[in-house]
Amino acid sequence: MEYQPRIMEKKWSERWKADEAHIVKADSSKPKYYSLDMFPYPSGAGLHVGHWRGYTISDVWSRYKKLQGYEVLHPMGWDAFGLPAENAAIKLGIHPAVSTANNVANFKRQLQEIGAMYDWTREINTSDPSYYKWTQYFFVKMFERGLAYRKKMPINWCPSCKTGLANEEVIDGTCERCGTEVTKKEMNQWMLKITAYADRLLYDLEKLDWPDKVKRMQTNWIGRSEGARIHFDVADVEDAKIEVFTTRPDTLYGATYMVLAPEHPLVDRIVTESERNSVEEYVKETLKKSSVARQVVDKTKTGVFTGAYAIHPISGAKIPVWIADYVLMEYGTGAIMAVPAHDERDYEFAQAFGLPIVQVVAPKAESDATGEGGSSSSKEVPELYVGPGVLVNSGPYNGLTIEEGKQAIVAALAEKGVGEKTVTYRMRDWVFARQRYWGEPIPIIYCDSCGTLPVPVEDLPVALPDVERYEPTGTGESPLAAIESFVHTTCPKCGGPARRETDTMPQWAGSSWYFLRYPDPHNDTAPFSKEAANEWLPVDMYIGGVEHAVLHLLYSRFFTKVIHDLGLIDFDEPFQHLFNQGMLTLNGAKMSKSKGNVVNPDDIIEKHGVDALRMYELFVGPPEDDAEWNDNGLEGVSRFLGRLYRVFQQHVTTQAPSRPELERLRHRFIASLSERMETFRLNTAVSAFMEYLNALTAAAAHGGIDKATLETLAIALAPFAPHLGEELWSNLGNQKSVFNAKWPTFEEQWLKDDEVEVAVQVNGKVRAKIVISAEATQEDAVSAAKDHPDTSVWIEGKEIMKTIYVPGRLVNLVVKG
Ligand code: ANZ
Ligand code: ZN
């Protein structure tokens, strides 16, 4: 009767395979449930127990849903294109396709070990031509709709990786992958117009059951700002208009200078000869800095005067125009009116360069006290004030609130044709190109006579050719540019000689729609059938790390909306419910191969079995919180499973008749377990088993365990420890898998505290019967006994020498006198 998990687990995983237990029947009449893991990038390092936390949570949940009667789609695949495979290829000379295939095989072996119910017939690999054909197809569709376009623009450039980087790959001004300082480089880039979807991406967040934190991060990333554009003429320069974006048009009277981004196209035209040298020098310095570095709030402000003056659109005053790197070219209009009294950065700048500071908003109380002028006149330099209040020093607008001031001033500007209300977004269009090898070729052809053309859909995929050298060229071109046979093609329109685009798609391309492919993974005439997609999606539960809060989740939402607009699906949000699991740490540090602190699941499994590891991955802490790996905790869970197995085996042959005590325990266990599942408190779900087993062991000592209890144990355990669940279920004499059973239900009546009738004796003679809770303490029982009118007459005025309580049966009061 020893618990020998490895033998048992091997047996059941082979049985599942033979029975095709995890193959999803799409035509089943059951309700559908789509339970999805964020698919992994198959790195060379393999999976460690930290990765397994998310996969375990998601598999336990999927199996639970299956027991609740759903047809559950729980697929797995590989996000297989990307830089690491390519960097390894450069270093070790192994073709990325070969190393990726090896890594996939290892990942798959590990994921099969975990006992997960993945339907491997639906496996997806984004680097497989039969898949990326459709990634290219979506690019063509976006091109046709004007959503993919080419633009010459400065990109983040990593001089070490010799590649362009998306903004999100630049961390604190350095390359996310190698840590080198990122510079800028002008290049023609393919872009996706995600900004056209900004408002939908923002407002549709409301429809989703996602963690607030993730919604907030997306909201900030989109960065919608309502404000105004205001036009300023430049004194003595014909036709030069500086257009600014401001969220505070109410502060117009406090604009004491202007700032242009150093790379603003107007700079060259308005700069005066005496200032030209210093301006050019400053522009050159700025171009070396990343936009992230420029946005650091508390850095020392730098900038130079252009010699030019703008004309204030209302007062007509001349205000100096500066350039400074705290104004970014890619936000708003790349120019600001600076209001130092009410903007922190402008305040610091004005103080550093001795520019005037004029207060135009005062807190309500202050403006009441001083009549109309605010307090600025009484102080040398007004303090920075960013709070609410009313307008002061603003001519006819004095006394208006900020909101009223905004409305009135924008209306006046609009009347004169020098301003209008507008909305600006922080989010930029998506740079959808890399100058690297291991990615989807962008399906575009350039013809000298016909221009830029998409590859006809029937010619897709544009296959990634074999190359001998993966190194980036260093000129900024992709290694594909060196392959004549790839570059030279014929124009799909005129048949003349033409060239192929040689850039590839970025890391995020394939993962932006893979969830749509699983319902119909072998379709070779379309990315998926509309019916299959509509049947399964949106994904009911999407589980993965919070590190994907913005990019992957935003890009997937964008793709889904575009695909919806193409008429290919009926829904326009991919993931209804999102859950982010916490990280597993070891001695406080995130597990990672580079830190050398990973716990290898292969070793654990050999010793304790998969089921113990699964249960421990849940037991380690609330699933959304980071948790510390602890070998003792794992051993505890492993011992618990052994004990459960022995108790079960001991009683399975001699099944006792049912009795109320066992019924009560069982219904209470089901109720508390179900509640913990529904609220996703999976760690406490594991403790529910532990509590139950303790109570059960005590009860079994006097009267054994009944069949219903044993069945409940087997079924309830199955999502958590599927192999053991199957074993127990079959030991009960069942032929079919435990996953054909139904998740147990409970009856309300058993949750109430039971009441029992207790006889009350006085000196050994029964005098009364009382009804009390079965859970009543001796104290409660005795006091109820004494209070009963039929007892009280016998004990009045006498001394109680002794009280005896036989729980649930009898109170005996021994009295004297
Ligand atoms: C005048 C003003 C007065 C401003 C005031 C703020 C406070 P959000 O909310 O992030 O959209 N700004 C505009 N374009 C900029 C750029 N390209 N680089 C750096 N700063 C820029 O911020 C909008 C505000 O940020 C704008 O409103 C502008 O400063 C500044 F009491 O204009 B404000
Ligand atoms: Zn042509």
Side-chain angles (χ1 to χ4, degrees), residues 564-586:
H564 167 269
D565 293 355
L566 290 167
L568 301 181
I569 49 178
D570 290 342
F571 51 91
D572 69 350
E573 280 293 339
F575 313 122
Q576 187 52 41
H577 199 128
L578 173 71
F579 183 82
N580 298 127
Q581 80 274 7
M583 246 165 24
L584 267 194
T585 59
L586 195 64

Side-chain angles (χ1 to χ4, degrees), residues 225 245-248 251 326-337 339 342-343 345-346 426:
S225 263
F245 169 70
T246 175
T247 47
R248 296 292 304 276
T251 62
Y326 77 93
V327 173
L328 304 174
M329 193 56 222
E330 48 303 358
Y331 188 64
T333 59
I336 66 161
M337 63 177 204
V339 183
H342 306 292
D343 180 276
R345 290 167 305 174
D346 298 346
R426 195 154 290 279

Side-chain angles (χ1 to χ4, degrees), residues 501-728:
E501 171 62 63
T502 56
D503 278 1
T504 54
M505 296 187 197
Q507 174 89 65
W508 309 101
S511 60
S512 294
W513 72 279
Y514 76 109
F515 42 89
L516 290 162
R517 181 74 173 169
Y518 284 128
D520 192 13
H522 308 295
N523 197 326
D524 56 8
T525 58
F528 48 80
S529 86
K530 187 172 185 174
E531 293 68 33
N534 284 339
E535 192 171 354
W536 285 104
L537 282 110
V539 170
D540 295 282
M541 177 64 91
Y542 195 28
I543 296 185
V546 73
E547 67 273 19
H548 294 299
V550 177
L551 304 175
H552 162 59
L553 288 172
L554 200 63
Y555 296 151
S556 299
R557 296 180 61 218
F558 166 60
F559 260 67
T560 302
K561 288 181 187 303
V562 172
I563 292 169
H564 167 269
D565 293 355
L566 290 167
L568 301 181
I569 49 178
D570 290 342
F571 51 91
D572 69 350
E573 280 293 339
F575 313 122
Q576 187 52 41
H577 199 128
L578 173 71
F579 183 82
N580 298 127
Q581 80 274 7
M583 246 165 24
L584 267 194
T585 59
L586 195 64
N587 304 326
K590 177 183 174 175
M591 273 188 209
S592 78
K593 180 136 191 203
S594 62
K595 291 206 192 86
N597 69 341
V598 299
V599 177
N600 183 338
D602 297 350
D603 305 340
I604 304 267
I605 290 173
E606 223 24 75
K607 196 157 165 215
H608 297 291
V610 174
D611 284 346
L613 176 56
R614 287 172 61 107
M615 279 203 115
Y616 177 63
E617 294 266 2
L618 299 188
F619 189 57
V620 69
E624 64 279 12
D625 293 348
D626 291 352
E628 175 96 14
W629 177 271
N630 179 329
D631 285 334
N632 294 334
L634 171 71
E635 275 156 31
V637 169
S638 162
R639 274 195 307 272
F640 162 73
L641 286 181
R643 198 153 68 81
L644 186 149
Y645 177 75
R646 283 188 300 275
V647 170
F648 191 98
Q649 290 302 86
Q650 193 187 332
H651 294 280
V652 73
T653 42
T654 57
Q655 293 167 24
S658 171
R659 60 183 190 277
E661 184 189 17
L662 293 176
E663 284 290 279
R664 270 165 44 79
L665 286 176
R666 183 164 65 83
H667 285 272
R668 286 173 175 226
F669 164 65
I670 298 166
S672 87
L673 179 63
S674 300
E675 210 253 331
R676 292 170 193 196
M677 291 304 282
E678 288 304 314
T679 51
F680 228 74
R681 287 178 296 141
L682 303 178
N683 55 323
T684 64
V686 176
S687 20
F689 282 95
M690 297 174 171
E691 293 153 17
Y692 185 41
L693 187 66
N694 284 340
L696 211 51
T697 317
H702 57 267
I705 299 180
D706 66 317
K707 184 171 184 194
T709 295
L710 295 170
E711 282 178 344
T712 298
L713 257 186
I715 299 169
L717 193 65
F720 301 85
H723 310 87
L724 184 53
E726 291 278 28
E727 180 77 11
L728 301 184

